Each structure stands twice: as C-alpha cells, then as structure tokens.
Amino acid sequence: MVLSRFLHRFVAMDSRDMGVRAALLDECLGVGPDNLEKLFFKEPQLLTGPVVEQQLRSALDFMKDEVCLTQAAICRIVSEAPTVLGLDVARQLRPKWSYLLKVMGPELDISTQVVGFPGLLEAGLTEIIVPRLEFSRARHHWPVTDLKAILGSTDTEFLALVGGTHAQYNNYRRSIQTKVKLGQRSHDIA
C-alpha cells in the first residue's frame, strides 16, 4: 500500500537519481543495504520525493556538526524519524535547536534528549515546542528534565503532567502563536 502511493514516482524517476540518494545515505550513515531498504519502506519520499541530495546532506551535516551526534546516533534518529532528513536546516532544524539551547540552558544535555526522542526534531517549533515548554514554565513545572514527556505526549497526557485544562492550554498556545505571527521570533519569546 505504501509503495502504491509512490509507484508513479518510482516509474518517473531515473534509477540513477535513486541510486545517488541511496549511496549518499549509505555513505553518510553507513547503514548498509538492509537498513536502507527498511528506511525507504518507512519513508519512501526520501528515495522518490522532492528532497534533493543537498538537503539530505545538509540535514546530516547539521546533526553531526551542530548537534554533535555520532554516526550511530544519527542512524538511530533517521531510522526512527526519517522525515527529519527532509526538513530545511535554516528554516526548521536550526531554529528549533537554537531555541532549545537558549531555553533549556546547559543543565540539560539536549543532544542526549534528541537521541532518546528523535521526534523532537520533527516537532513543530511554534505548534508544539514553544507552547508546551512555555506553558510548563508558567505552570511552575520547571526545569524540564525529560523533553519526551513534555513534547512527545498527547495534550491530555501533557496536561496531566503539568496541570491545567485544555482550555487554558489552548488559549496559551494561541497567544504564543499570535506573538510569533506578529513578528517575534520564537527564540525571543522565552
């Protein structure tokens, strides 16, 4: 079923392009053919989608050079959250990383948190990360020591952890998102 959604792309795409992407991921990650097959089955757009080789390389370089992750850690993240490879470094990954470093400070090893919760890099900055961390702070549930518990949970689980109602949280989230829309950058909200 998954492949049927992308079959037209496989047919239209030059096999050399697919080979270049597979070789790049194998070269950068060293995951081998079996794991590449699993990765492409989980996220076929990495092989056939609009993600270009430069974007793949930029995301991999960002995780290695700026997040300071090992090759093994990057492999784990990519296998659990492969869509991170399709995110724009300048517009998506770096702002999240900068915000987390600023807000969490040196007390929390964010690189370790990312390895333990790869979905952190996929989470929306203004949709999830900023509102949840700021609401946690407002509810005096600070400092946060487990980003997965705060950011990787449902709204109901999150509110059970920090306290508050859905209405309170939704109002808070809307006010944060309004500030962002009015031109304040996310990392300036903290």
Side-chain angles (χ1 to χ4, degrees):
M1 169 132 169
V2 172
L3 287 179
S4 65
R5 291 188 347 227
F6 296 94
L7 189 57
H8 67 282
R9 291 185 187 162
F10 281 115
V11 172
M13 190 170 190
D14 187 331
S15 63
R16 289 174 297 190
D17 291 339
M18 289 188 277
V20 167
R21 290 177 188 207
L24 173 66
L25 290 169
D26 187 35
E27 169 197 331
C28 293
L29 298 175
V31 294
D34 291 340
N35 288 328
L36 279 175
E37 184 178 320
K38 291 176 193 171
L39 179 66
F40 292 141
F41 185 77
K42 192 172 182 180
E43 288 296 331
Q45 69 266 20
L46 291 177
L47 191 58
T48 63
V51 176
V52 294
E53 288 73 24
Q54 183 56 42
Q55 192 171 3
L56 291 172
R57 187 170 297 282
S58 293
L60 292 168
D61 289 345
F62 171 80
M63 287 187 281
K64 184 179 115 204
D65 299 335
E66 294 184 44
V67 183
C68 300
L69 297 173
T70 65
Q71 184 173 343
I74 294 171
C75 284
R76 178 181 168 165
I77 289 168
V78 169
S79 69
E80 291 187 30
T83 56
V84 76
L85 292 175
L87 298 178
D88 184 272
V89 172
R91 290 182 321 120
Q92 294 169 301
L93 292 173
R94 191 171 290 119
K96 287 177 201 176
W97 188 249
S98 296
Y99 174 80
L100 289 168
L101 288 175
K102 180 178 180 180
V103 171
M104 303 311 298
E107 300 84 31
L108 189 64
D109 182 358
I110 299 172
S111 294
T112 300
Q113 295 277 324
V114 168
V115 174
F117 174 43
L120 175 61
L121 293 175
E122 293 176 311
L125 182 61
T126 58
E127 298 82 16
I128 297 171
I129 296 173
V130 173
R132 289 226 178 155
L133 290 176
E134 294 305 316
F135 192 76
S136 297
R137 187 187 321 235
R139 302 293 302 173
H140 306 292
H141 186 80
W142 202 263
V144 170
T145 57
D146 183 3
L147 290 174
K148 183 176 183 179
I150 298 293
L151 303 173
S153 57
T154 64
D155 283 351
T156 301
E157 294 166 335
F158 166 68
L159 291 169
L161 182 65
V162 302
T165 66
H166 283 277
Q168 289 170 323
Y169 175 60
N170 287 332
N171 288 337
Y172 197 88
R173 179 175 35 205
R174 277 192 293 277
S175 74
I176 295 275
Q177 291 170 338
T178 299
K179 288 178 184 178
V180 171
K181 287 179 186 173
L182 292 175
Q184 293 180 339
R185 296 186 320 236
S186 299
H187 60 275
D188 292 335
I189 293 172

